[in-house]
Amino acid sequence: MVGQVAYELELPKYLAVVHPVFHVSILRKFIGDPSLVVSADTIMVKDGFTYEKIPIAILDRQVCKLRTKEVASITVLWRSQKVEEATCEAEEDIKSRYPNLFEEQAD
């Protein structure tokens, strides 16, 4: 404990760039499942490696009415993710980046 509302955490060496002091409001109790832990050495990540999220389905569509306009949002299911991990995105943003996703929905 650094102060009344801050804790200094002991972080692994690969997180050396992260400041180790955190406010208590962002800390949560965590009970991990050791069977789900994968060693970073096992994965063999390459420098410069990037990951692109690819949408595979639109699960839901909603229109929020603001004072002067309506904004459409969609729930997107991404490749290699569970349905519970689907995210809410602005429809126009997804439509401009992934127009083929909407062509499939029209069928």
Side-chain angles (χ1 to χ4, degrees), residues 40-58:
D41 298 331
T42 306
I43 298 173
M44 298 181 354
V45 177
K46 298 177 185 175
D47 288 339
F49 181 75
T50 60
Y51 172 76
E52 181 182 357
K53 289 173 58 174
I54 298 175
I56 58 171
I58 297 172

Side-chain angles (χ1 to χ4, degrees), residues 29-87:
K29 182 177 181 177
F30 176 75
I31 301 173
D33 182 352
S35 68
L36 299 176
V37 175
V38 178
S39 169
D41 298 331
T42 306
I43 298 173
M44 298 181 354
V45 177
K46 298 177 185 175
D47 288 339
F49 181 75
T50 60
Y51 172 76
E52 181 182 357
K53 289 173 58 174
I54 298 175
I56 58 171
I58 297 172
L59 302 180
D60 190 24
R61 183 176 189 274
Q62 296 178 343
V63 177
C64 298
K65 293 183 181 183
L66 303 177
R67 290 184 185 192
T68 58
K69 64 180 180 177
E70 294 182 345
V71 177
S73 65
I74 55 176
T75 304
V76 179
L77 178 62
W78 302 92
R79 183 180 66 187
S80 303
Q81 291 187 332
K82 300 175 186 173
V83 172
E84 298 82 21
E85 298 172 314
T87 58

Side-chain angles (χ1 to χ4, degrees), residues 10 12 86 92:
E10 187 176 319
E92 285 304 312

Side-chain angles (χ1 to χ4, degrees), residues 5-43:
V5 293
Y7 280 87
E8 183 172 5
L9 302 181
E10 187 176 319
L11 299 174
K13 289 180 184 178
Y14 68 89
L15 291 177
V17 296
V18 176
H19 193 302
V21 178
F22 296 87
H23 191 273
V24 295
S25 66
I26 62 169
L27 299 176
R28 302 285 181 263
K29 182 177 181 177
F30 176 75
I31 301 173
D33 182 352
S35 68
L36 299 176
V37 175
V38 178
S39 169
D41 298 331
T42 306
I43 298 173

